[in-house]
Amino acid sequence: MLITIVTLFPEMFPGMLAYSLPGKQLGNLWDLKTVNIREFSDNKWQKVDDTPYGGGAGMVIKPNIIHEALTDALKNYPNNEPAIINMTPRGRLFNNATARNLAEYDGLIILCGRYEGIDQRVIDHWIQHHNMQEISIGDYVLFGGEVAAMVIIESCLRFVPGIMHNEDSPEDESFCIKDINGSRVDLLEYPQYTKPVSWSGYDVPSVLLSGNHAEIAKWRIEQAKQITRSVRPDLLGH
Ligand code: 6GU
């Protein structure tokens, strides 16, 4: 999978994505390129933004500059159609299902805005002509899309075959625990324990020491349901 980040701050990448399992496979199972929006500036001062029509605070990135930058990013994909994503708090809320879907693509182009925003016309154009999707990672506002892009990249890479040590792992952590009768429900992860068996007066739950795998599986699902019910009842449809 080839990921191209379109940003005013290419030096932020790969950043934390160069570490741990994603970092080990960077250049092998996946690759990262950046396009610097500033290189497509249309003036000698390298400016990319201007004041908003209608007035108000902040600056707006010009449509022609974003268009040129996205067009340049597309050149990295001569043989396939990448998913194109605009990171914005106005986007559709990101979740594990979106991550699984994006991981099916051989390529992603991720546009990271800054300042007050990007001229709406270039966004409309890329939604209409290139099927661009707008994604938000939560109900809060960041200074720019770069951290959000890293969030969606990390979660997508968990679904790219070969990046996790254990192929079962992306399904078996935090979300999508298989229910006992086989139907898939999104639950928060059950608690994990390791040695020592007793620490600071806290003991590992005895069922985990029993060696009874059926009982252990049942206990874990019960714990996951209980935690989900109390912290995220919305995941259970309540
Ligand atoms: Cl994707 N971008 C920005 N700037 N803020 C956000 C966000 C994205 N998602 C939540 N807040």
Side-chain angles (χ1 to χ4, degrees):
M1 171 183 271
L2 174 61
I3 302 176
T4 305
I5 311 289
V6 179
T7 171
L8 283 162
F9 300 98
E11 63 279 8
M12 288 181 177
F13 294 88
M16 62 187 67
L17 299 169
Y19 295 83
S20 189
L21 296 184
K24 259 178 220 158
Q25 294 304 333
L26 181 55
N28 302 313
L29 291 173
W30 73 288
D31 219 334
L32 190 70
K33 292 187 178 180
T34 55
V35 168
N36 188 348
I37 295 170
R38 201 168 298 283
E39 285 180 16
F40 299 90
S41 167
D42 55 5
N43 56 78
K44 64 179 172 192
W45 306 279
Q46 300 265 82
K47 261 177 55 108
V48 295
D49 56 355
D50 214 323
T51 52
Y53 278 120
M59 300 291 269
V60 178
I61 307 181
K62 295 165 79 173
N64 52 310
I65 296 175
I66 292 295
H67 184 76
E68 296 300 322
L70 284 172
T71 302
D72 192 61
L74 257 189
K75 291 181 189 154
N76 291 339
Y77 305 89
N79 304 316
N80 53 41
E81 245 182 68
I84 305 178
I85 297 152
N86 181 32
M87 301 309 305
T88 165
R90 292 201 309 213
R92 193 162 43 88
L93 205 53
F94 185 74
N95 62 22
N96 227 28
T98 312
R100 203 181 287 120
N101 171 261
L102 292 177
E104 310 259 316
Y105 288 82
D106 294 325
L108 304 180
I109 293 175
I110 307 178
L111 171 61
C112 301
R114 281 267 153 179
Y115 311 127
E116 293 308 298
I118 295 171
D119 188 291
Q120 187 62 36
R121 292 167 292 178
V122 68
I123 294 170
D124 291 343
H125 176 89
W126 282 75
I127 290 173
Q128 281 161 24
H129 296 275
H130 299 274
N131 217 6
M132 185 167 77
Q133 315 175 42
E134 296 198 284
I135 292 179
S136 163
I137 62 163
D139 295 333
Y140 39 80
V141 181
L142 306 171
F143 286 116
E146 287 80 4
V147 167
M150 291 194 191
V151 167
I152 70 165
I153 292 167
E154 278 211 26
S155 62
C156 285
L157 290 176
R158 294 170 61 83
F159 292 102
V160 171
I163 294 195
M164 304 284 290
H165 283 317
N166 176 350
E167 285 288 318
D168 284 344
S169 289
E171 299 286 327
D172 199 25
E173 283 171 38
S174 296
F175 285 105
C176 292
I177 294 170
K178 285 184 182 62
D179 210 332
I180 326 178
N181 38 28
S183 68
R184 215 158 70 167
V185 260
D186 279 352
L187 298 174
L188 299 180
E189 197 193 23
Y190 50 79
Q192 298 277 17
Y193 301 88
T194 187
K195 295 178 185 67
V197 73
S198 187
W199 173 79
S200 203
Y202 296 86
D203 293 335
V204 173
S206 57
V207 61
L208 298 177
L209 311 172
S210 69
N212 184 333
H213 296 296
E215 280 301 312
I216 291 169
K218 208 169 100 191
W219 180 85
R220 284 178 164 167
I221 284 168
E222 270 320 306
Q223 290 287 310
K225 282 181 182 166
Q226 206 175 301
I227 293 159
T228 309
R229 238 183 340 258
S230 99
V231 181
R232 292 293 307 279
D234 55 301
L235 292 176
L236 298 166
H238 302 309

